[in-house]
Amino acid sequence: MPKDNGIGASPKRREDVRFLTGRGRYVDDIKLQNQCFAVFARSQVAHGIIKSIDTSEAEGMPGVLAVFTGEDFTEVGGNPAGWLIHSRDGEPMKEPKRPVLAHGKVRHVGDAYAAVIAETYEQAVEAAEAIDADIDEQDAIVDMAAALANSDNLVHDEIETNQCFDWGWIEDNRAATDEAIKNAPHVTTLELINNRLIPNAMEPRASTADYNPGTGHYTLYTTSQNPHLTRLLISAFVMGIPENKLTIIAPDVGGGFGSKIFHYGEEALVLAASKKLGRPVRWTASRWESFLTDAHGRDHRTTIELATDKEGNFLAFRTSTLANVGAYLSNFSTVTPTILHGTVIAGNYTVPLTYVNVKAVFTNTAPVDAYRGAGRPEATFSVERVIDKCARELGIDPIEIRRKNFIKKEQFPFLTAAGLEYDSGDYHALMDKLEEMADFDGFEARKAESAKRGLLRGLGINTYVEACGLAPSNLAGILGSRVGLYESATVRVNATGNISVMTGSHSHGQGHETVFPQIVADMLGMSADDIDIVHGDTSKIPFGMGTYGSRSMAVGGSAIVRATEKIIEKATKIAAHMMEAGDGDIEFNDGVFSVVGTDKTVTFPEVAFKAYIPHDYPIDKLEPGLEETAFYDPGNFTYPSGAYACEVEIDPDTGKVTICSFSAADDVGNVINPMIVEGQIQGGLGQGIGQALVENCVYDENGQLLSGSYMDYTMPRADDMPFFNVDQSCLTPCTHNPLGAKGCGEAGAIGSPPTVINAVVDALSHLGVTHVDMPASPARVWAAIQAAK
Amino acid sequence: MYNFVFEKPTTVAEAVAALASEDAQALGGGQTLLPTMKQRLASPAKLVSLTGIAEMGGTSSTGDVITIGGGVTHADVAAGGYGAISKLAGDIGDPTVRNRGTIGGSLANNDPSADYPAAALASGATIKTNARSIAADDYFTGLFDTALEDAEIIVSVDFPVPLSSNYQKFEQPASRFALVGVFVAKFADGVRVAVTGASEGGVYRWTEAETALNANFSADALDGLSVSADNMISDLHGTPEYRANLVKVLTGRAVADC
Amino acid sequence: MSSVSMTVNGKSVTGEVEDRTLLSTFLREDLHLTGTHIGCDTSQCGACTVHVNGKAVKGCTMLALEAEGADVRTIEGMANDDGSLGVIQAAFQEHHGLQCGFCTPGMVMAADELLKNNSNPSETEIRKYLSGNICRCTGYHNIIKSIQAAAAQLG
């Protein structure tokens, strides 16, 4: 049994008290003395040449303190892409500059071309409206295929193409894959769209900059998932502010889901404005700005082919994808459709050959980047949908065809055709568990009962494997990463024995303040209540990479383990001295150091006290103090996996899809806090079901965002969701990190979309429907039924 | 929001007087107007709140007619036990919208996807203003357009009580407004069917269905009817054809549940 | 500018506001009660839900001047007098009904009104009642569980 608050326990979250009483501290809650307000003038056209911007009227309006345009930032750098991807021909990707404010051209609706700073928010709004921009509207480039076909109308004229790159993975497998598909007894082909999504963290982005003219130091409070990365980008690439003169604080952050990984121009603008005015400058996005300017997610058009023999053994997967990167390269926009997508295209399967081709396309739409799952949902949807279609074509049960091709438990570690070495997993066990959870035997009876009510019932099955905790840095560097992928932790034991843990991970809903202390408490044999987590402030924590890609426990947690191990190592030496024994004779159990074979003991707090009050201390051999830092760079990705099932009912008269049940068996490796893991899985399921059934980001042919508010972009609500039946009992520990943890944040969002669509297609298959694009909205499902009639 | 001057009169007469000035706008519960103003799509110089006027509150029933004050909230109508009208009110927006939004505000705004217009039109309601009584058939004049004059306030609405009635709403998934809503009311002298959410012209009566249902009040009576997709709204959430389909499906369901 | 007076969480407050000031703005910027959150501009997310005279409203869709003389309650006023979490708040913590915490104040305020009107709501009734409160983190599962638990405890 786990201790009340150690590894494996589910203590109540300590952060909840402040959130439940209105005492959270989000960026927009921070009001600094003498603050003023920034508001942006944003393009109303998708594509246009900025001929002139007249700010004179705005500058004269009440309360206006300053007006900025792109002209003011021509001397500073651009916001770069974090990964350099090479095309199949070896050419590096095209990297047009992403300026702080649009200069020369506006490239998507919402692209900011000017900013007003005023005493009040309303004054800034009014002055921003008074800016007279003469923008010569150009034809918008929206459709990806048309963008590639057209070399006359370019999002970025200087790169002479709308194609960012043409990437192949694994290029050396291309010919063999083509050959296998040409000669295969059966080939299933599916064209599909992975619908564009808008992340919609409930807290809109916000940034408040505070420049101190007396010290030359900048402080930026901002909604970030990784404050150090933001600092690095601002310092090294965009503004040139020395890192030691810039503190980034990401306090309580109201959800991220990827959208707050990235550095955005508004952060640079408020910093520049605060410097210019010597006053704090506050900006908070209105939701409409979030819709227009937060990095969007997904947006792939894919053709996937699956070659099999007559028995359903997989011979090869081949995909061809157009991936929208929008108007500018956001920080992770180039790794998301490539490394994070192509490397998992073999799924849970022993398939010998895979080949992925991705053409990334610039369009006059908001930048597209990593969103919960980032590349892996796109791969999983393609693979699992084509498998389902193949099973129907071959008349094989969808579970059987998957089982037939699973990597077996004894085959791990397994090098997949897509080039990853999966360290552990047991996909048959997950499927066994799913069969137990989902009562497949009762489905036909339930289907008959639905039919009595005039409803079509469908059952969808799905499995997934994902790659989390991107690593190691050396390999990532070879693949094009421009940053490292380690995580840091400092464990500071205070003199009285309680502990502060500084982590480079950032919590914006994940519960780190509760779960990380569980690890340290377990290792040191103390109460988690005596351990606090410090995160989100670059002035307090070691250089960290932040939270995304389900990496916090596998990478950040492992860094905490490593730092705590160093603490134990040093404390052991101090204890040995205190008990006049050799280091090798000391045992440490449950918070107590003892000399083997004696009754001599000292407690951990006694050792901590000795470290800080080093009287009678081996000062010649050991420094005082008890504080250790570790940087943990993982040896491999981690590979969570799962098996999901969903039942839906469809009203054929209206096309409305209702989820009747959803079962998810996930292997996320070792679980530190089951309550939080379940919550993460449930949340991921909610977002994945949202993608499958309701969410859709739509631009019209002029590049106007039609789904630009909650009036038209459907957010999943409580009554769209079922209770989820989730299980994490079939786990295989990660073999290469000290916690055995794999990650759980993205799993639900990766595994659920194909599960739902497989169920929808199952319900409609008797009509001849073979695919329904996401979201399977009532109108779309009804139209599919009509078309099949 | 653009700034404005706020007034909160306590009588209809004061409100009418306050609305007489240029660019003055009545404010009911504000659940549509305030979001519109936040988006800077409306900029009245003066907002005249109608939430403090006692004579616009309250509901009453004679048995033949239900009278609902123009300032009565959806929540209060929902709790009033007025059959299909209460059920309709209880499905408008969400609880916070229902706690503020009023029937008068909804009918004055006449959003093409709002619910109340369907109830008023199908019920043959009478909209009573400070100046006159307007029959529902004359009241709804187009998208966001009504027979109301400037500075005319809906004081109450009279709903004749039908023999039976039912409202079927298919929600637009994002906004939760009616993608299509159909109100069917059966009176001793005939059936009235009103459709909201579907038409580019706003709420309308589906007279072919009324004729068919007058002959045979059952869902089957609609079988032979077809709904034209002409002039149906087309947007992200539904094609004209889809909306036309919903009109028929929902009418059938409303009749079945009457 | 107009003056406005109301009772907020049991305390009388007055302020000088522009007529266009929203109740949520007055609470956040003038009274520094930042637990009432702003998550959208179309009155749909519900993060700003507060109680006015005992009824849940969206603070972003009501003018501060409309709350003249009203009894307003916000998330800051939901704990017990001794500072401990109220039943609904405690249930949200116990059942992991929140993650990032941004929608949470609105959820708690909505749940409080629901349970006052309906002491034993069904799962469907709870889900329907929350249609004006958007959560992006939880998939709603644990929010519903939290409210069910609070209902059971409140009887």
Side-chain angles (χ1 to χ4, degrees):
Chain A
M1 282 293 286
K3 281 186 278 189
D4 288 350
N5 52 21
I7 289 175
S10 293
K12 288 186 278 194
R13 296 202 326 169
R14 56 182 69 177
E15 44 272 81
D16 290 355
V17 176
R18 66 177 187 272
F19 295 144
L20 283 161
T21 54
R23 265 74 181 189
R25 189 168 183 256
Y26 301 86
V27 172
D28 189 59
D29 299 341
I30 295 167
K31 298 172 200 2
L32 301 176
Q33 222 170 17
N34 206 27
Q35 67 181 6
C36 48
F37 292 82
V39 165
F40 291 82
R42 298 187 181 278
S43 179
Q44 297 182 8
V45 301
H47 190 196
I49 296 165
I50 301 172
K51 303 187 83 170
S52 66
I53 300 176
D54 182 354
T55 61
S56 55
E57 185 187 344
E59 283 166 15
M61 288 176 68
V64 173
L65 301 167
V67 179
F68 293 85
T69 69
E71 283 293 322
D72 297 302
F73 294 92
T74 53
E75 302 301 313
V76 306
N79 185 4
W83 284 67
L84 174 62
I85 299 300
H86 285 81
S87 287
R88 294 163 47 211
D89 60 8
E91 285 295 305
M93 68 188 194
K94 305 292 186 188
E95 292 188 79
K97 182 176 177 182
R98 184 183 185 190
V100 174
L101 290 174
H103 187 241
K105 252 186 168 186
V106 287
R107 294 186 173 87
H108 65 93
V109 172
D111 203 2
Y113 56 79
V116 174
I117 318 298
E119 294 287 351
T120 72
Y121 169 74
E122 299 285 1
Q123 287 171 335
V125 169
E126 274 150 28
E129 280 187 357
I131 292 173
D132 183 13
D134 180 4
I135 295 175
D136 183 13
E137 186 172 359
Q138 308 290 299
D139 287 342
I141 301 154
V142 179
D143 178 75
M144 287 191 277
L148 291 182
N150 187 348
S151 57
D152 298 330
N153 189 15
L154 299 172
V155 179
H156 295 275
D157 302 294
E158 67 273 23
I159 60 171
E160 300 177 342
T161 172
N162 287 320
Q163 180 173 292
C164 178
F165 56 73
D166 174 1
W167 180 79
W169 188 264
I170 295 172
E171 197 59 24
D172 287 349
N173 290 350
R174 181 188 180 96
T177 306
D178 289 350
E179 194 67 15
I181 288 174
K182 198 169 86 184
N183 299 326
H186 187 87
V187 178
T188 301
T189 304
L190 181 61
E191 290 182 23
L192 57 90
I193 292 171
N194 207 288
N195 45 327
R196 184 172 176 130
L197 304 175
I198 302 180
N200 274 303
M202 291 318 298
E203 177 204 25
R205 284 192 295 119
S207 301
T208 292
D210 184 15
Y211 175 73
N212 184 333
T215 61
H217 197 96
Y218 297 81
T219 302
L220 177 68
Y221 302 86
T222 193
T223 48
S224 176
Q225 298 176 222
N226 44 1
H228 269 108
L229 195 60
T230 297
R231 190 180 72 173
L232 183 66
L233 290 166
I234 292 171
S235 293
F237 296 93
V238 182
M239 304 281 286
I241 299 170
E243 280 185 275
N244 58 330
K245 292 290 186 191
L246 175 59
T247 296
I248 309 265
I249 298 174
D252 287 329
V253 172
F257 314 110
S259 67
K260 293 172 182 169
I261 298 172
F262 321 118
H263 166 54
Y264 292 87
E266 291 89 353
E267 294 171 320
L269 187 286
V270 292
L271 285 166
S274 183
K275 168 91 185 293
K276 179 172 181 173
L277 299 170
R279 294 174 61 176
V281 177
R282 178 176 163 194
W283 170 76
T284 301
S286 296
R287 178 58 61 183
W288 66 265
E289 291 182 285
S290 304
F291 271 102
L292 291 173
T293 68
D294 286 6
H296 295 176
R298 316 283 192 259
D299 204 354
H300 285 196
R301 283 176 180 269
T302 293
T303 301
I304 182 164
E305 294 153 289
L306 166 57
T308 64
D309 64 19
K310 295 287 185 200
E311 287 73 46
N313 293 301
F314 300 165
L315 304 177
F317 287 104
R318 180 172 65 188
T319 73
S320 172
T321 290
L322 296 183
N324 202 337
V325 291
Y328 301 101
L329 293 182
S330 178
N331 303 136
F332 285 9
S333 62
T334 53
V335 67
T336 298
T338 54
I339 304 298
L340 297 176
H341 167 238
T343 59
V344 291
I345 209 75
N348 309 52
Y349 310 107
T350 56
V351 60
L353 286 165
T354 62
Y355 178 75
V356 172
N357 176 243
V358 178
K359 294 184 178 73
V361 187
F362 289 107
T363 59
N364 292 122
T365 63
V368 181
D369 206 324
Y371 167 69
R372 199 170 195 165
R376 290 148 291 168
E378 294 91 318
T380 304
F381 187 75
S382 300
V383 166
E384 295 295 328
R385 279 292 304 129
V386 80
I387 290 173
D388 229 59
K389 187 169 184 231
C390 172
R392 270 176 218 291
E393 288 173 358
L394 294 175
I396 303 177
D397 178 83
I399 296 175
E400 187 194 336
I401 198 169
R402 288 176 169 87
R403 283 188 182 275
K404 189 187 282 269
N405 290 281
F406 276 163
I407 301 162
K408 294 183 184 65
K409 187 180 181 183
E410 55 274 17
Q411 290 177 283
F412 291 95
F414 185 86
L415 181 63
T416 73
L420 293 179
E421 186 179 272
Y422 297 172
D423 62 335
S424 65
D426 189 347
Y427 308 145
H428 282 287
L430 287 166
M431 191 60 91
D432 292 344
K433 171 58 72 175
L434 185 71
E435 294 199 28
E436 180 189 319
M437 293 165 74
D439 181 27
F440 295 139
D441 291 344
F443 173 70
E444 286 305 325
R446 293 191 292 276
K447 183 172 179 168
E449 192 277 328
S450 297
K452 281 185 198 161
R453 289 180 285 116
L455 302 174
L456 307 172
R457 197 175 187 104
L459 169 63
I461 306 294
N462 185 52
T463 53
Y464 76 88
V465 61
E466 58 156 332
C468 300
L470 243 174
S473 292
N474 274 330
L475 175 62
I478 293 167
L479 294 175
S481 175
R482 287 164 165 162
V483 292
L485 291 161
Y486 48 83
E487 194 47 270
S488 65
T490 295
V491 175
R492 175 181 298 160
V493 182
N494 299 312
T496 52
N498 52 37
I499 290 178
S500 303
V501 178
M502 279 58 81
T503 172
S505 297
H506 183 275
S507 184
H508 31 280
Q510 294 87 346
H512 294 172
E513 292 171 35
T514 300
V515 70
F516 283 156
Q518 294 180 245
I519 298 168
V520 180
D522 226 50
M523 294 179 69
L524 297 180
M526 57 194 293
S527 166
D529 295 341
D530 293 327
I531 302 163
D532 269 355
I533 297 299
V534 179
H535 69 97
D537 182 339
T538 60
S539 70
K540 294 179 179 168
I541 61 174
F543 194 100
M545 298 309 298
T547 288
Y548 51 83
S550 307
R551 70 193 303 275
S552 292
M553 187 53 68
V555 191
S558 293
I560 291 172
V561 171
R562 290 289 181 247
T564 307
E565 286 170 350
K566 290 185 186 179
I567 291 286
I568 293 171
E569 191 183 329
K570 182 171 180 182
T572 299
K573 291 177 181 168
I574 299 171
H577 174 80
M578 291 170 74
M579 294 186 283
E580 298 176 329
D583 296 355
D585 296 328
I586 304 297
E587 276 187 350
F588 181 56
N589 281 312
D590 215 16
V592 177
F593 295 91
S594 57
V595 180
V596 178
T598 75
D599 57 359
K600 285 188 187 174
T601 60
V602 291
T603 64
F604 185 80
E606 288 169 332
V607 172
F609 197 75
K610 176 67 76 179
Y612 286 96
I613 317 289
H615 304 158
D616 181 23
Y617 191 87
I619 204 78
D620 51 332
K621 292 187 294 190
L622 215 49
E623 292 174 10
L626 198 51
E627 170 168 332
E628 297 289 349
T629 295
F631 283 73
Y632 178 79
D633 201 294
N636 191 354
F637 288 86
T638 63
Y639 301 97
S641 57
Y644 288 5
C646 171
E647 286 186 28
V648 299
E649 277 183 343
I650 297 175
D651 178 345
D653 293 333
T654 64
K656 185 171 173 61
V657 179
T658 302
I659 295 191
C660 309
S661 65
F662 201 107
S663 300
D666 290 282
D667 173 5
V668 299
N670 287 342
V671 171
I672 312 302
N673 182 316
M675 176 189 82
I676 285 176
V677 168
E678 276 197 14
Q680 290 292 307
I681 299 286
Q682 290 160 355
L685 293 176
Q687 276 172 288
I689 291 170
Q691 171 169 26
L693 290 184
V694 299
E695 295 184 45
N696 204 19
C697 170
V698 182
Y699 285 92
D700 72 9
E701 68 276 13
N702 297 315
Q704 294 293 331
L705 181 62
L706 299 181
S707 55
S709 82
Y710 292 144
M711 295 293 282
D712 283 305
Y713 187 89
T714 309
M715 290 290 280
R717 316 271 179 121
D719 57 1
D720 292 319
M721 290 290 147
F723 277 134
F724 307 116
N725 183 15
V726 301
D727 178 274
Q728 293 94 39
S729 66
C730 293
L731 61 87
T732 58
C734 171
T735 61
H736 58 78
N737 70 43
L739 290 166
K742 295 183 174 180
C744 61
E746 296 161 297
I750 293 169
S752 56
T755 318
V756 173
I757 297 301
N758 287 347
V760 169
V761 172
D762 183 55
L764 303 177
S765 61
H766 66 288
L767 301 170
V769 173
T770 58
H771 182 65
V772 176
D773 271 320
M774 299 188 290
S777 64
R780 183 171 279 167
V781 170
W782 179 80
I785 294 169
Q786 302 313 306
K789 273 182 183 172
Chain B
M1 268 196 282
Y2 296 97
N3 211 356
F4 50 82
V5 172
F6 177 80
E7 285 187 31
K8 192 166 178 176
T10 56
T11 67
V12 170
E14 285 172 13
V16 170
L19 285 166
S21 65
E22 199 170 341
D23 286 337
Q25 165 77 46
L27 175 69
Q31 301 304 288
T32 301
L33 181 56
L34 289 176
T36 305
M37 291 175 64
K38 284 198 283 183
Q39 292 169 73
R40 299 173 80 78
L41 298 174
S43 53
K46 184 199 282 184
L47 272 192
V48 180
S49 169
L50 306 180
T51 61
I53 300 173
E55 58 200 292
M56 289 173 63
T59 58
S60 61
S61 173
T62 63
D64 294 334
V65 174
I66 299 162
T67 300
I68 301 174
V72 175
T73 63
H74 309 325
D76 285 343
V77 174
Y82 305 123
I85 291 172
S86 289
K87 184 171 174 301
L88 172 150
D91 282 336
I92 295 174
D94 61 56
T96 59
V97 169
R98 297 194 287 273
N99 281 337
R100 292 289 300 165
T102 64
I103 187 170
S106 175
L107 290 174
N109 189 47
N110 191 22
D111 187 299
S113 299
D115 300 301
Y116 266 131
L121 189 58
S123 300
T126 301
I127 288 88
K128 294 187 163 175
T129 75
N130 55 296
R132 56 188 168 141
S133 295
I134 310 170
D137 283 324
D138 302 325
Y139 176 83
F140 299 102
T141 51
L143 293 189
F144 298 104
D145 201 35
T146 69
L148 290 177
E149 302 287 341
D150 287 347
E152 189 171 6
I153 295 170
I154 298 174
V155 177
S156 65
V157 186
D158 284 354
F159 287 92
V161 177
L163 298 173
S164 62
S165 61
N166 187 267
Y167 180 61
Q168 294 284 325
K169 173 183 186 174
F170 194 85
E171 288 180 343
Q172 195 260 53
S175 69
R176 303 296 179 102
F177 276 75
L179 188 66
V180 174
V182 178
F183 201 107
V184 172
K186 182 184 182 191
F187 292 90
D189 60 351
V191 177
R192 291 169 68 101
V193 176
V195 179
T196 188
S199 168
E200 290 179 333
V203 66
Y204 70 96
R205 283 175 65 184
W206 186 17
T207 49
E208 293 88 344
E210 292 177 357
T211 304
L213 292 168
N214 278 329
N216 171 18
F217 192 75
S218 79
D220 298 342
L222 304 169
D223 282 350
L225 301 183
S226 69
V227 181
S228 168
D230 293 347
N231 301 318
M232 290 287 173
I233 294 170
S234 177
D235 62 17
L236 285 182
H237 307 284
T239 57
E241 292 72 22
Y242 182 60
R243 281 187 163 83
N245 167 67
L246 284 181
V247 169
K248 186 168 170 180
V249 169
L250 297 179
T251 304
R253 290 179 182 181
V255 170
D257 287 357
C258 257
Chain C
M1 302 288 277
S2 300
S3 72
V4 63
S5 303
M6 62 188 83
T7 303
V8 178
N9 300 328
K11 290 181 192 153
S12 295
V13 298
T14 58
E16 285 288 314
V17 297
E18 286 188 321
D19 287 14
R20 62 180 159 182
T21 304
L22 298 167
L23 178 58
S24 53
T25 308
F26 181 64
L27 294 169
R28 286 180 56 79
E29 303 296 329
D30 293 62
L31 304 184
H32 304 288
L33 294 171
T34 55
T36 298
H37 294 154
I38 307 301
C40 78
D41 40 24
T42 51
S43 304
Q44 276 151 320
C45 81
C48 64
T49 304
V50 297
H51 292 177
V52 175
N53 294 331
K55 290 185 175 168
V57 304
K58 291 192 173 86
C60 79
T61 315
M62 179 171 179
L63 298 174
L65 292 177
E66 284 277 35
E68 171 66 34
D71 183 18
V72 176
R73 200 165 175 220
T74 72
I75 188 67
E76 287 90 347
M78 294 299 284
N80 296 324
D81 291 344
D82 65 359
S84 61
L85 297 180
V87 170
I88 295 169
Q89 292 168 312
F92 270 72
Q93 186 184 28
E94 181 71 31
H95 296 275
H96 192 25
L98 65 154
Q99 292 184 22
C100 83
F102 197 80
C103 77
T104 306
M107 288 289 177
V108 170
M109 302 310 287
D112 187 80
E113 189 190 51
L114 166 64
L115 296 182
K116 279 193 182 116
N117 295 332
N118 181 353
S119 61
N120 186 26
S122 67
E123 179 199 338
T124 302
E125 286 172 330
I126 297 172
R127 289 186 184 277
K128 195 163 156 45
Y129 206 85
L130 295 182
S131 65
N133 293 83
I134 302 176
C135 169
R136 192 54 150 169
C137 292
T138 64
Y140 300 98
H141 182 106
N142 284 342
I143 291 175
I144 310 302
K145 293 284 184 193
S146 301
I147 295 172
Q148 287 178 326
Q153 197 178 335
L154 289 166

